[in-house]
């Protein structure tokens, strides 16, 4: 496996692990700046689901499973969209906010991972087919 592909996988695993911790902190209400009580129920359910999907994608990717890469892409894209809604529709603060910076970072990570997927995928294990 080329070094840069290994770096992409390691960074993605770390970011997904960090995301799991952040979303767990949001769920427990211990992270400053997390979702407010007025956050829509559907959005809170989505963020809650990331406490499962973030570490699952990280684990699968760490095991070099293609499912981890695909789930990681889905998590980053959907998280960027959800954060975009939260930071541009629900948040009425003008200008640059920490949430908007975070949303931009997640969006950049989503684009980068999707762009790297064709090169990374061949180095990952595929599901076995039943004979």
């Amino acid at each position: 496996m080329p070094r840069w592909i290994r770096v992409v996988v390691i960074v993605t695993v770390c970011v997904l692990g960090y995301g799991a911790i952040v979303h767990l902190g949001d769920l427990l209400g211990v992270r400053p700046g997390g979702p407010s009580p007025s956050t829509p129920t559907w959005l809170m359910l989505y963020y809650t689901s990331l406490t499962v999907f973030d570490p699952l994608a990280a684990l699968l990717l760490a095991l070099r499973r293609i499912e981890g890469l695909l789930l990681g892409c889905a998590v980053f894209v959907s998280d960027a969209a959800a954060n975009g809604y939260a930071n541009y529709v629900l948040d009425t603060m003008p200008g640059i906010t920490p949430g908007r910076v975070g949303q931009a970072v997640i969006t950049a990570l989503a684009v980068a991972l999707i762009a790297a997927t064709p090169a990374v995928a061949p180095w990952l294990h595929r599901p076995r087919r039943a004979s």
Side-chain angles (χ1 to χ4, degrees):
M1 177 185 307
R3 183 181 177 99
W4 75 269
I5 290 176
R6 193 170 303 142
V7 170
V8 167
V9 170
I10 291 169
V11 167
T12 303
V13 167
C14 290
V15 170
L16 288 164
Y18 173 76
I21 292 167
V22 167
H23 292 292
L24 182 61
D26 290 344
L27 182 63
L28 299 175
V30 296
R31 185 175 74 92
S36 70
S38 64
T39 300
T41 303
W42 67 267
L43 190 55
M44 283 306 300
L45 288 172
Y46 171 74
Y47 288 142
T48 301
S49 75
L50 290 181
T51 62
V52 173
F53 291 123
D54 277 337
L56 178 60
L59 175 64
L60 290 170
L61 193 52
L63 294 172
R64 292 186 56 202
R65 300 291 304 193
I66 190 76
E67 298 92 335
L69 178 63
L70 300 176
L71 182 57
C73 287
V75 164
F76 282 170
V77 168
S78 63
D79 197 11
N83 288 341
Y85 180 81
N87 287 290
Y88 290 98
V89 175
L90 299 179
D91 185 358
T92 58
M93 292 282 294
I96 298 172
T97 64
R100 290 177 183 156
V101 171
Q103 190 271 338
V105 170
I106 291 295
T107 300
L109 289 169
V111 169
L113 187 59
I114 289 169
T117 293
V120 174
W123 298 96
L124 302 176
H125 303 294
R126 305 239 182 308
R128 296 175 196 249
R129 294 182 184 219
S131 300

